Amino acid sequence: MRKVRIVAVGVVIAVLAAGGIVGFQIDTGSRKIDYVVGSEDGNRVELDVTLQRVDVTARELDLRIIPVLHGALADGADDIPAKDIEVETSSLTSGVLRFKAHDRVSLQDVRMGVDDGLVSSYPFDSYAAGIGFYVTAGDQDVPLSLRFRGYDALFTAKADDAEWRTGLLKANVVAGRSFSSSVLAWFLMIAMWALALAVLGAALTIVSKRMGLVWPAMGWMAATLFALVGFRNAAPGSPPIGGLIDYGAFFWAELLTTVSLVYVVVHGIRQARAD
């Protein structure tokens, strides 16, 4: 019987480990996808855009942009323009990005405003932003394409609904919580409820058995009250207070724990005085 239990535990551990590896593959696989849209002209500017971070508080996307030159627009290499390149973005802070002819191009950081999405929906929050580029080479409109990928560990991002013509390209970027951050957020919510219900169950047991002031139990309950705050602050991305995670778990867990602790203390004091 003991050997059977050991084997069963080993099988459970193996299944959980395999599930974790599968989840890791799903999470990392979604980050390796490049979304390519736009012109396929042999003489074009390809904007390589990566999403570095989703700033949920400022409601902005931090993008990193570098133009890749093809055909006659490149001066011997895809990172050296044959003509002056100007990239006008839809960003309200960065304006026009300029790249001099015959000089190696460099990465440019741009912040784009979010059009849709609220952090109060955490952990179900997602964000959408329209991005646009107008590109000229030597004051002439050129064919344009976009290669987009997301590097923010907390979000899975993609570009869709693209529209383009010579010199102009528009697309919509959608960023949602990654698989790993969503799983951890859900685990924290379930753990907060489990801790609160455990405290409530212990409180009801102490009172029903008229056990009086049980100091170790009250110390554990008080410690749980503060431990819940640590659980809340461990949420991926450190969302501000007032999100769905708070109304769905944290506020109620704190309330149940506090009420249980006070209930046990009041009952214990009455019991001690009566004795």
Side-chain angles (χ1 to χ4, degrees):
M1 189 64 180
R2 183 178 179 182
K3 292 182 178 180
V4 174
R5 291 179 180 177
I6 294 175
V7 172
V9 171
V11 171
V12 171
I13 293 174
V15 170
L16 292 176
I21 294 174
V22 171
F24 171 77
Q25 294 294 336
I26 294 173
D27 195 34
T28 55
S30 63
R31 303 179 194 282
K32 297 179 180 179
I33 300 175
D34 287 2
Y35 297 90
V36 182
V37 296
S39 173
E40 297 181 356
D41 194 293
N43 302 309
R44 73 182 189 278
V45 174
E46 177 184 326
L47 295 177
D48 192 318
V49 179
T50 58
L51 174 63
Q52 299 295 315
R53 188 172 72 97
V54 179
D55 191 335
V56 297
T57 304
R59 290 174 54 81
E60 290 181 328
L61 305 181
D62 290 343
L63 304 179
R64 183 160 291 174
I65 301 172
I66 186 170
V68 180
L69 309 167
H70 295 270
L73 298 176
D75 185 12
D78 59 8
D79 60 349
I80 301 178
K83 301 177 181 180
D84 289 346
I85 303 292
E86 289 191 356
V87 180
E88 186 174 348
T89 72
S90 58
S91 171
L92 298 178
T93 58
S94 300
V96 180
L97 310 179
R98 293 181 172 86
F99 305 90
K100 293 294 184 180
H102 313 300
D103 289 340
R104 189 178 299 274
V105 298
S106 59
L107 293 168
Q108 301 291 325
D109 293 325
V110 175
R111 294 177 71 88
M112 297 282 191
V114 170
D115 301 323
D116 185 33
L118 293 173
V119 70
S120 58
S121 300
Y122 182 93
F124 300 109
D125 53 329
S126 62
Y127 304 88
I131 60 175
F133 305 95
Y134 176 67
V135 181
T136 60
D139 296 327
Q140 297 292 323
D141 295 350
V142 294
L144 187 61
S145 64
L146 172 70
R147 181 180 296 273
F148 178 87
R149 69 184 70 86
Y151 283 165
D152 192 325
L154 299 178
F155 289 88
T156 300
K158 65 178 182 178
D160 56 13
D161 297 333
E163 301 177 4
W164 67 88
R165 58 180 173 81
T166 302
L168 180 66
L169 187 146
K170 298 179 180 178
N172 189 50
V173 173
V174 179
R177 291 286 171 182
S178 65
F179 176 77
S180 57
S181 61
S182 296
V183 169
L184 181 54
W186 272 105
F187 170 78
L188 292 176
M189 294 175 68
I190 294 173
M192 285 188 282
W193 270 109
L195 288 173
L197 293 176
V199 171
L200 177 62
L204 295 176
T205 301
I206 291 172
V207 173
S208 64
K209 292 185 175 295
R210 305 179 64 84
M211 298 173 66
L213 290 171
V214 184
W215 296 105
M218 291 188 295
W220 164 63
M221 293 177 182
T224 302
L225 189 65
F226 293 99
L228 289 170
V229 177
F231 263 77
R232 168 61 179 79
N233 293 336
S238 301
I241 201 73
L244 182 61
I245 188 175
D246 300 314
Y247 288 98
F250 177 64
F251 290 159
W252 295 109
E254 285 283 279
L255 177 63
L256 285 176
T257 304
T258 302
V259 170
S260 299
L261 176 58
V262 173
Y263 183 42
V264 169
V265 171
V266 171
H267 175 269
I269 292 173
R270 289 181 176 178
Q271 184 73 25
R273 288 182 174 179
D275 294 341

